[in-house]
Amino acid sequence: MSQRQEISIRDARIEDAEILLAWRNDPEARSMFVSQDQVSPEEHVTWLRETLERDDRVLLMGSLGDHALVGVVRFDIDRSRRKINVSININPAMRRMGLSSKLLEAAIASLKDRVKGPDAGFALEAQIRHENKASLRCFQRVGFTQAENDEHFYYLRVSLT
């Protein structure tokens, strides 16, 4: 599989529930999440259905070509504070292949096409555990800079322009 291939982006669908749950409950992924609890299939399907109906959340799937799913990017839009929280989860089979920043770039480009006019000019923000050096590098490669930190997390930010 060539890393030079473009990552295509599409909206997540309810049919993605099983694969998203597997990625969500992957022990390595969970260890880096803010909420590290394992999620049941029922909880996950409920969350996904609600997510797909929300107008303040965008859930995007990235793939290489037509079939190899790379990962998922979630954007939580806070219009009153003019910020969008960003999170990313890579398919465990695609980790350590240099694809995370390409996925994030493609997802942000897709988001820019959706948030025009009064929604333009938002700040994108990410919360990353100190031990998650791979995610920190991914966001920095895409242009995020450290805004602050605390004892557990780095908080990174970039403008959506």
Side-chain angles (χ1 to χ4, degrees), residues 75-140:
F75 298 102
D76 290 314
I77 303 167
D78 183 340
R79 287 180 175 84
S80 66
R81 296 179 62 208
R82 303 205 48 82
K83 70 175 193 159
I84 300 172
N85 289 322
V86 184
S87 62
I88 185 171
N89 191 6
I90 302 298
N91 174 348
M94 297 286 196
R95 289 187 190 136
R96 295 165 192 78
M97 296 175 68
L99 297 170
S100 62
S101 59
K102 293 174 186 176
L103 171 61
L104 186 56
E105 284 175 341
I108 291 171
S110 178
L111 181 69
K112 283 180 183 179
D113 290 341
R114 298 165 189 246
V115 290
K116 295 180 179 177
D119 283 342
F122 273 63
L124 295 177
E125 297 183 349
Q127 181 179 354
I128 301 170
R129 287 192 175 280
H130 285 182
E131 58 270 22
N132 193 349
K133 300 302 184 196
S135 190
L136 180 63
R137 286 188 304 272
C138 164
F139 279 86
Q140 288 174 330

Side-chain angles (χ1 to χ4, degrees), residues 23-24 29-36 88-89 129 153:
W23 296 351
R24 166 62 179 86
R30 276 196 359 252
S31 73
M32 298 301 163
F33 291 156
V34 173
S35 172
Q36 297 179 334
I88 185 171
N89 191 6
R129 287 192 175 280
F153 296 99

Side-chain angles (χ1 to χ4, degrees), residues 10-115:
R10 66 165 173 82
D11 290 327
R13 305 182 288 249
I14 196 65
E15 296 82 15
D16 297 316
E18 187 176 338
I19 191 78
L20 288 172
L21 178 62
W23 296 351
R24 166 62 179 86
N25 281 338
D26 174 75
E28 185 177 343
R30 276 196 359 252
S31 73
M32 298 301 163
F33 291 156
V34 173
S35 172
Q36 297 179 334
D37 297 334
Q38 188 159 346
V39 176
S40 74
E42 297 80 16
E43 291 172 313
H44 180 70
V45 168
T46 298
W47 173 85
L48 183 56
R49 283 188 197 286
E50 290 172 357
T51 289
L52 297 176
E53 293 174 4
R54 292 174 62 165
D55 67 353
D56 64 342
R57 179 171 285 166
V58 177
L59 192 64
L60 301 175
M61 303 291 290
S63 61
L64 285 173
D66 292 334
H67 48 335
L69 288 172
V70 173
V72 61
V73 180
R74 188 182 78 218
F75 298 102
D76 290 314
I77 303 167
D78 183 340
R79 287 180 175 84
S80 66
R81 296 179 62 208
R82 303 205 48 82
K83 70 175 193 159
I84 300 172
N85 289 322
V86 184
S87 62
I88 185 171
N89 191 6
I90 302 298
N91 174 348
M94 297 286 196
R95 289 187 190 136
R96 295 165 192 78
M97 296 175 68
L99 297 170
S100 62
S101 59
K102 293 174 186 176
L103 171 61
L104 186 56
E105 284 175 341
I108 291 171
S110 178
L111 181 69
K112 283 180 183 179
D113 290 341
R114 298 165 189 246
V115 290

